[in-house]
Amino acid sequence: MPAITAYDKAPRVPASIAQAATERVIQIRRITKVTAGGKTMRFNALVAMGDGQGHVGIGLGKADAVPDAVRKGVAVAQKNMIQVPMKNATIPHEVLSKFRASKVLLKPAVPGTGVVAGATIRAIMELAGIRDILTKSLGNPNPINLTKATMEALANLRFSNVDVVEQSKNGISVIDEKE
């Protein structure tokens, strides 16, 4: 039994916001179950949903046909949408997250950088509305574990109350702090 993650604990977005979100299929897999009576084919669909305003969620649907699996994945993604803290068009701070054998590093970027990410992480970032970010996937490239590690990283983000920090020989000093 996997441990409870920050993504599991994160507050969910209301259904009214989730209804207006767009969806993107990240992966479709064909699964075969071998029984005494033969082989049974089914499909998995990994779906991400987001509204481009800092709300994003993922869902894994399983069914006998691809359209049914996608529909179930969309329903799960709508229920699992969370709000992502954003600072302009990037994230407030660097975060490293791990889910099973996959690790994801997310770094804020200056405006104009774009989304520097692989296909799996890029889909989630674009749906969340993050336009400037640097990412690196480490470890296993399995899309299911990679999306869960990405969502874990986004759930671990916190708003910063410090606007500008100056580092000198004497240490770190706060120049401008938000109230």
Side-chain angles (χ1 to χ4, degrees):
M1 183 86 176
I4 303 291
T5 63
Y7 177 57
D8 296 329
K9 294 178 184 177
R12 302 301 187 221
V13 173
S16 60
I17 295 173
Q19 292 292 333
T22 58
E23 63 197 53
R24 190 174 301 173
V25 177
I26 295 174
Q27 181 188 39
I28 295 175
R29 297 193 311 173
R30 189 181 67 183
I31 309 299
T32 305
K33 179 181 178 183
V34 180
T35 62
K39 295 180 181 178
T40 308
M41 273 192 15
R42 292 174 55 98
F43 295 92
N44 277 2
L46 182 61
V47 180
M49 287 194 77
D51 62 355
Q53 304 294 318
H55 302 104
V56 68
I58 59 168
L60 183 64
K62 303 173 187 179
D64 293 335
V66 174
D68 295 336
V70 171
R71 185 178 39 76
K72 287 180 182 180
V74 167
V76 173
Q78 281 180 345
K79 291 177 190 168
N80 290 331
M81 284 184 77
I82 61 169
Q83 182 169 1
V84 178
M86 290 178 23
K87 188 174 186 179
N88 299 327
T90 188
I91 56 176
H93 57 84
E94 183 178 322
V95 63
L96 175 68
S97 181
K98 180 178 186 253
F99 183 83
R100 298 196 180 168
S102 295
K103 288 183 188 174
V104 172
L105 174 66
L106 305 179
K107 284 185 172 183
V110 296
T113 303
V115 178
V116 180
T120 305
I121 300 173
R122 176 183 296 273
I124 295 172
M125 295 302 148
E126 289 175 351
L127 289 169
I130 299 170
R131 292 188 302 278
D132 299 310
I133 191 165
L134 302 170
T135 68
K136 180 66 181 169
S137 63
L138 307 162
N140 194 338
N142 177 350
I144 295 174
N145 287 346
L146 212 51
T147 55
K148 290 186 178 183
T150 304
M151 293 304 292
E152 174 74 15
L154 293 175
N156 281 328
L157 288 173
R158 298 290 174 252
F159 286 111
S160 173
N161 63 344
V162 176
D163 196 18
V164 179
V165 174
E166 184 180 81
Q167 188 172 1
S168 64
K169 291 180 184 177
N170 300 335
I172 297 174
S173 62
V174 176
I175 295 173
D176 186 19
E177 187 170 346
K178 297 178 183 175
E179 298 300 321

